[in-house]
C-alpha cells in the first residue's frame, strides 16, 4: 500500500497539481491538502528501500524477506559472478550480496531462502568433485607424473580452481590425443579440459575457451645443415625458405600445430608424427627440414638436449602467437565464468622465461626434453 | 773488508740480470708459473692483469711511430736509392707461396688429426651448453617484413679501410693498414722533392725509429713480469669446459701451428748469415713477444730488429716489406681457417673428397686474406666465406672459434709473425747481396 502511494498516487497527484489545466484555478488550500497527505504517509510509514533493480522482470527479493542460508563459499562464488550470472534468481541473490555485508548482517543471511545455483555448479557441489580432462601422455613441466603424482603448472592451476570451488579435482587421463580430449570435453565426459591446449577455430566452435593462462610464440627447430644447404643465414633468407621452398615440416599428428602448419607454410609438406620424441629424432637425422611447436617445447629440447645445439637451430616467430586456454563444455556456463574470472583477475599468465625459471630442473632434464 | 767484495758481486749479478731475463729457460719458467697461478688462483691472476695490460699499451704506443718511420723510409729509399722490381716480384711470389703453404699444411694437419670426427655424446653436450649460452635466440616475422642491414661488400670494406681521410688520424687511432698507406704516400712524396730538402725529414724519421727502438729495448726488461701477468690472466679466463670439448681440435691447432712456426724458424736460420745460435735466440725472443702480446703489430719492432740486425737482411727492404706482409699476409688466420674447416666438415658429416679439400684450401686463402682489414674477433667471422660455399652451418662454428680464441690467439699470432719474417727474409736481399741497382724512381718516371 505504502509502495503504491509512492509509486502511483503521489506522482499522479503531483502531475495533476502541476498540469496546465489545474494551474489556472489552483488555490493555497489545494496545495496545503496535498502536502499534508504526503507528509502523513512519509512520517507515519515503516519505510523500506527496495533492493537495486536487476534489470530483469522478476520480483526483487528483499534481504530481510529471504530465508536462504548461504555458505561462505557460495557467497564468494556468487559475488564473483554478480554481473555475468544469467539466471534471474541467482542474479537477485548476488545483487543482494553486492549491496549488503554478510559478516555484518548474519541474521539477514541466515534468513535467506535456499537459492538454487546454476545447474552446472549445483551439480558439481552436489557430487563434491569436478572432473578435469588432460592428456594421457606427459608434457613436463605442464602435466607429468612424478613419484606417482600428477604434477605440473597446468595441474596446479586445475587444483587451484577446484580449491576455490571447494571441490575435489579428479583427473581423467584417458585421452591419447589432443583431439580426443577436446571431443571428450564436448561430449561432457569431463567438466573442463586443460593440457597446454591451443585455441583454434574448430575448438572454439565446440567449446568455451578461457582467457590465455600461458602466452607463447610459435617456434621452429630447424636442421642447421639443411638450412645452410638452402642458403638460410639471416631473417630474410630464412623467411623466404619457409614461405616458398618445398620443405618438410614435422608436427605432432592431429595437434593444433598440424592445422597451424598447413595455414602458415603453404608450400611445405607437413609430416605428422605420433609423438614429439619421434619428430625430434626426425629433424636431428635430417629426415625433415624443421619441427614446429610452441617456444617452450623448442627451448626444452635446446636446454634438455644441448648436444643438439650443433645440429639444430631454434627460430621464434614474432608475429605468430600460441596462447593456451582451458576448455569448458558449453553446458557448464557458470563454471566457465568462474574460470574466466580466475584467469583474468587472479592468475598471472605464464611466459616461457617464467616457466624456465620456475621449472629449471625440468627444462634441463634430458629425460623430459622431447616429451 | 767484506762489503766491497759483496758490492762488486752484487754489481756483477745486476749486470747479468738482463741476460737472465731474456734466457729461454727463464721465460719458460715464467710462463709455467703464470699458467699455474691462473689455474690455481684465478682471482689473483685477474687482479695481476693490470701489469700485462700496461705492458701491452706501452708496446702499442710504439707501433705507430715505428710503422710510420719504417714504411716511409723504406718507400723513399726504394724509389730514390737502390732497389729493383725484382724485389717486388720476389715479395709477391713469397707472399703467395707462404699463404698457400700455410693453408695446405694446416689442411693436412686437420685431415690427419681429424678433429670433430665421432665426437662423444658428453663432448657434444658440453659444446651444446656453451653454444646455448652464447647464441642469442633467433626470431623473425613469418608474414611481416624482416629488416636486416644491407651487407657491405668485402672489397669495398677493404678499400674503405685502406684509404684514410686524415693523415694523422690513423696514427692516433692505431689503424695500422691506413697508417701504412699514409706512410707509403709520405715516402713517395719525399722521393719527389729535392734530395737535400727530403734529407731533413729522413733524418727525423730515422731519429724517430731509433728512439722508439730504444724504448722497446727497455721494455724487454719488464717482459717476463708482463708475460707472467698475461699468461696467468689468459689461463684464468679460459673456459675449461670448452677446452675439454674441443681438446683434439685445440691440440691439433697448437701442434700444427708450432710445426709451421718451427719450419719458419728453420727457413730464417737457413737464410741468415749469422751464427745459428744467435739467429735462433733472436727468433725465440720475437716468438716470446708474439705469444705474450697476442698482437702481430706489437711484435713488429722486435721482428724488424731481428731481421735487420741478426739475419742481416737489407734494412730498407725489410723496413718496407715486413709491416706490409704482417698486415696483408694473415698466415695465422689462413691456417686456422683451414683446420677449422676440417673440424666443421667432420662435425656436419660432409663427404670429404679431394675436390672438397682443394676448394676448401682455395676458399680459406681468400677468407684468410679478407681478414686483413678486420681486428680481434671480427676476423673469425670471415670463416663464413668458406663455410657458406661448402654449405656448412656457420653460426655454431664461428661461435665455438670465438669462445676458444683466447687459447688459439697466441699461437695464431706466432705463426703470422714467423711466416711474415720468412717471406721478408727471403724476399729482401741480404746486406752482402746488395749491388746498388738503379733507383726505382727513375724507372717509374721514364
Amino acid at each position: 500500500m505504502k509502495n503504491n502511494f509512492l509509486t502511483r498516487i503521489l506522482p499522479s497527484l503531483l502531475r495533476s497539481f502541476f498540469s496546465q489545466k489545474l494551474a489556472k484555478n489552483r488555490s493555497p488550500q489545494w496545495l496545503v491538502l496535498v502536502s499534508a497527505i504526503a507528509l502523513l504517509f512519509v512520517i507515519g510509514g515503516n519505510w523500506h528501500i527496495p533492493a537495486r533493480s536487476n534489470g530483469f522482470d522478476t520480483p526483487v527479493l528483499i534481504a530481510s524477506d529471504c530465508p536462504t542460508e548461504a555458505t561462505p563459499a557460495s557467497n564468494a562464488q556468487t559475488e564473483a559472478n554478480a554481473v555475468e550470472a544469467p539466471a534471474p534468481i541467482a542474479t537477485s541473490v548476488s545483487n543482494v550480496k553486492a549491496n549488503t555485508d554478510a559478516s555484518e548482517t548474519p541474521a539477514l543471511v541466515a534468513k535467506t531462502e535456499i537459492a538454487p545455483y546454476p545447474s552446472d555448479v549445483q551439480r558439481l557441489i552436489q557430487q563434491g568433485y569436478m572432473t578435469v580432462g588432460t592428456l594421457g601422455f606427459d608434457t613436463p613441466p605442464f602435466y607429468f607424473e612424478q613419484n606417482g603424482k600428477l604434477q605440473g603448472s597446468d595441474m596446479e592451476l586445475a587444483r587451484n580452481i577446484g580449491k576455490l570451488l571447494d571441490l575435489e579435482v579428479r583427473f581423467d587421463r584417458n585421452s591419447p590425443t589432443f583431439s580426443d580430449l577436446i571431443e571428450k570435453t564436448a561430449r561432457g565426459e569431463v567438466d573442463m579440459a586443460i593440457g597446454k591446449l591451443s585455441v583454434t577455430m574448430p575448438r572454439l566452435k565446440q567449446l568455451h575457451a578461457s582467457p590465455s593462462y600461458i602466452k607463447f610464440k610459435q617456434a621452429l627447430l630447424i636442421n642447421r645443415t639443411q638450412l645452410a644447404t638452402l642458403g638460410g643465414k639471416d631473417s630474410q633468407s630464412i623467411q623466404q625458405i619457409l614461405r616458398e621452398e618445398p620443405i618438410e615440416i614435422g608436427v605432432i599428428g592431429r595437434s593444433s600445430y598440424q592445422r597451424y602448419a598447413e595455414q602458415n607454410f603453404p608450400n611445405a609438406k607437413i609430416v605428422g608424427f605420433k609423438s614429439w620424441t619421434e619428430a625430434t629424432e626426425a629433424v636431428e637425422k635430417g629426415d625433415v627440414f624443421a619441427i614446429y611447436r610452441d617456444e617452450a617445447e623448442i627451448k626444452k629440447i635446446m636446454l634438455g638436449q644441448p648436444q643438439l645445439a650443433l645440429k639444430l637451430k631454434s627460430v621464434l616467430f614474432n608475429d605468430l602467437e600460441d596462447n593456451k586456454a582451458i576448455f569448458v563444455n558449453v553446458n557448464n556456463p557458470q563454471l566457465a565464468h568462474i574460470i574466466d574470472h580466475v584467469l583474468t583477475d587472479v592468475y598471472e599468465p605464464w611466459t616461457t622465461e617464467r616457466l624456465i625459471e620456475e621449472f629449471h630442473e625440468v627444462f634441463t632434464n634430458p629425460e623430459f626434453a622431447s616429451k | 773488508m767484506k762489503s766491497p767484495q759483496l758490492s762488486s758481486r752484487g754489481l756483477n749479478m745486476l749486470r747479468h740480470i738482463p741476460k737472465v731475463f731474456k734466457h729461454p729457460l727463464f721465460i719458460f719458467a715464467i710462463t709455467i708459473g703464470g699458467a699455474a697461478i691462473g689455474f690455481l688462483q684465478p682471482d689473483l691472476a685477474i687482479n695481476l692483469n693490470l701489469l700485462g695490460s700496461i705492458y701491452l699499451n706501452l708496446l702499442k704506443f710504439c707501433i705507430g711511430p715505428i710503422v710510420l718511420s719504417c714504411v716511409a723510409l723504406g718507400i723513399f729509399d726504394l724509389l730514390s736509392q737502390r732497389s729493383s722490381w725484382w724485389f717486388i716480384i720476389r715479395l709477391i711470389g713469397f707472399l703467395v707461396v707462404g699463404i698457400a703453404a700455410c693453408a695446405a699444411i694446416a689442411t693436412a694437419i686437420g685431415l690427419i688429426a681429424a678433429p670433430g670426427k665421432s665426437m662423444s655424446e658428453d663432448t657434444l653436450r658440453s659444446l651444446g651448453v656453451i653454444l646455448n649460452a652464447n647464441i642469442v635466440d633467433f626470431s623473425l616475422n613469418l608474414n611481416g617484413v624482416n629488416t636486416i642491414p644491407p651487407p657491405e661488400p668485402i672489397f669495398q670494406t677493404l678499400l674503405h679501410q685502406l684509404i684514410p681521410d686524415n693523415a694523422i688520424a690513423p696514427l692516433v687511432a692505431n689503424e695500422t693498414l691506413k697508417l701504412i698507406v699514409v706512410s707509403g704516400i709520405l715516402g713517395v712524396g719525399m722521393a719527389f722533392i729535392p734530395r737535400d730538402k727530403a734529407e731533413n725529414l729522413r733524418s727525423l724519421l730515422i731519429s724517430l725509429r731509433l728512439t722508439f727502438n730504444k724504448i722497446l729495448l727497455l721494455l724487454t726488461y719488464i717482459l717476463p713480469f708482463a708475460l707472467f701477468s698475461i699468461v696467468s690472466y689468459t689461463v684464468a679466463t679460459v673456459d675449461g669446459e670448452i677446452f675439454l670439448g674441443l681438446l683434439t681440435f685445440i691440440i691439433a691447432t697448437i701442434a700444427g701451428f708450432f710445426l709451421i712456426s718451427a719450419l719458419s724458424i728453420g727457413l730464417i736460420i737457413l737464410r741468415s748469415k749469422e751464427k745459428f745460435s744467435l739467429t735462433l735466440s733472436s727468433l725465440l725472443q720475437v716468438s716470446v713477444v708474439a705469444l705474450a702480446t697476442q698482437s702481430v703489430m706489437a711484435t713488429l719492432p722486435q721482428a724488424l730488429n731481428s731481421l735487420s740486425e741478426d739475419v742481416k737482411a737489407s734494412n730498407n727492404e725489410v723496413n718496407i716489406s715486413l709491416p706490409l706482409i704482417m698486415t696483408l699476409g694473415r698466415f695465422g688466420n689462413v691456417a686456422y681457417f683451414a683446420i677449422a674447416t676440417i673440424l666443421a666438415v667432420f662435425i656436419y658429416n660432409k663427404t670429404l673428397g679431394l675436390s672438397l679439400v682443394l676448394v676448401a684450401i682455395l676458399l680459406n686463402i681468400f677468407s684468410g686474406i679478407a681478414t686483413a682489414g678486420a681486428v680481434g674477433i671480427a676476423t673469425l667471422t670471415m670463416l663464413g666465406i668458406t663455410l657458406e660455399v661448402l654449405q656448412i652451418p656457420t653460426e655454431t662454428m664461428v661461435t665455438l672459434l670465438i669462445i676458444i680464441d683466447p687459447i688459439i690467439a697466441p699461437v695464431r699470432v706466432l705463426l703470422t709473425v714467423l711466416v711474415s719474417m720468412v717471406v721478408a727474409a727471403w724476399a729482401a736481399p741480404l746486406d752482402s747481396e746488395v749491388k746498388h741497382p738503379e733507383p726505382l724512381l727513375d724507372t717509374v718516371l721514364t
Side-chain angles (χ1 to χ4, degrees), chain B residues 48-98:
Chain B
L48 284 174
N49 184 45
L50 182 66
L51 180 63
S53 60
I54 289 172
Y55 176 77
L56 286 177
N57 286 344
L58 286 171
L59 269 185
K60 285 177 188 168
F61 148 88
C62 298
I63 294 169
I66 287 175
V67 169
L68 176 73
S69 54
C70 284
V71 175
L73 281 171
I75 293 279
F76 174 68
D77 289 342
L78 188 76
L79 295 176
S80 61
Q81 288 184 358
R82 50 176 176 78
S83 197
S84 67
W85 285 106
W86 180 234
F87 163 66
I88 294 169
I89 293 165
R90 275 165 66 101
L91 183 65
I92 294 169
F94 278 112
L95 193 64
V96 171
V97 169

Side-chain angles (χ1 to χ4, degrees), chain B residues 224-247:
Chain B
F225 307 105
L227 184 65
F228 183 84
S229 155
I230 292 166
V231 170
S232 61
Y233 179 77
T234 306
V235 172
T237 52
V238 159
D239 187 338
E241 281 281 318
I242 191 136
F243 182 80
L244 293 173
L246 289 174
L247 192 62

Side-chain angles (χ1 to χ4, degrees), chain B residues 197-208:
Chain B
K197 299 275 193 269
E199 201 53 46
N200 291 335
L201 187 53
R202 188 171 181 270
S203 303
L204 178 69
L205 289 171
I206 291 170
S207 303
L208 191 71

Side-chain angles (χ1 to χ4, degrees), chain B residues 97-280:
Chain B
V97 169
I99 289 173
C102 283
I105 295 170
T107 304
I109 291 166
L111 289 171
I112 294 164
K117 194 179 182 183
S118 53
M119 276 182 167
S120 70
E121 195 75 0
D122 284 345
T123 306
L124 288 171
R125 199 174 165 77
S126 63
L127 292 182
V129 170
I130 291 157
L131 285 175
N132 282 339
N134 285 277
I135 294 178
V136 182
D137 278 338
F138 187 85
S139 58
L140 57 85
N141 295 318
L142 183 65
N143 301 311
V145 177
N146 293 295
T147 47
I148 53 167
E152 207 172 343
I154 292 171
F155 185 67
Q156 282 182 22
T157 312
L158 194 65
L159 275 183
H160 184 71
Q161 284 167 343
L162 274 176
I163 312 299
D165 59 354
N166 183 321
I168 307 299
L171 192 64
V172 176
N174 249 349
E175 291 174 308
T176 315
L177 209 56
K178 283 182 182 171
L179 185 58
I180 288 173
V181 175
V182 168
S183 311
I185 294 168
L186 181 67
V188 172
M190 282 168 69
F192 277 95
I193 61 171
R195 176 84 193 179
D196 57 325
K197 299 275 193 269
E199 201 53 46
N200 291 335
L201 187 53
R202 188 171 181 270
S203 303
L204 178 69
L205 289 171
I206 291 170
S207 303
L208 191 71
R209 193 193 157 188
L210 289 174
T211 307
F212 278 93
N213 268 355
K214 196 69 187 173
I215 294 169
L216 279 172
L217 188 71
L218 294 171
L219 281 177
T220 55
Y221 293 116
I222 61 164
L223 174 64
F225 307 105
L227 184 65
F228 183 84
S229 155
I230 292 166
V231 170
S232 61
Y233 179 77
T234 306
V235 172
T237 52
V238 159
D239 187 338
E241 281 281 318
I242 191 136
F243 182 80
L244 293 173
L246 289 174
L247 192 62
T248 318
F249 174 71
I250 291 170
I251 290 173
T253 306
I254 293 173
F257 282 20
F258 274 124
L259 179 71
I260 299 173
S261 302
L263 278 172
S264 305
I265 288 174
L267 286 169
I268 297 169
I269 289 170
L270 199 66
R271 179 69 171 156
S272 171
K273 296 296 174 193
E274 284 293 324
K275 278 183 189 170
F276 169 83
S277 57
L278 185 71
T279 312
L280 180 65

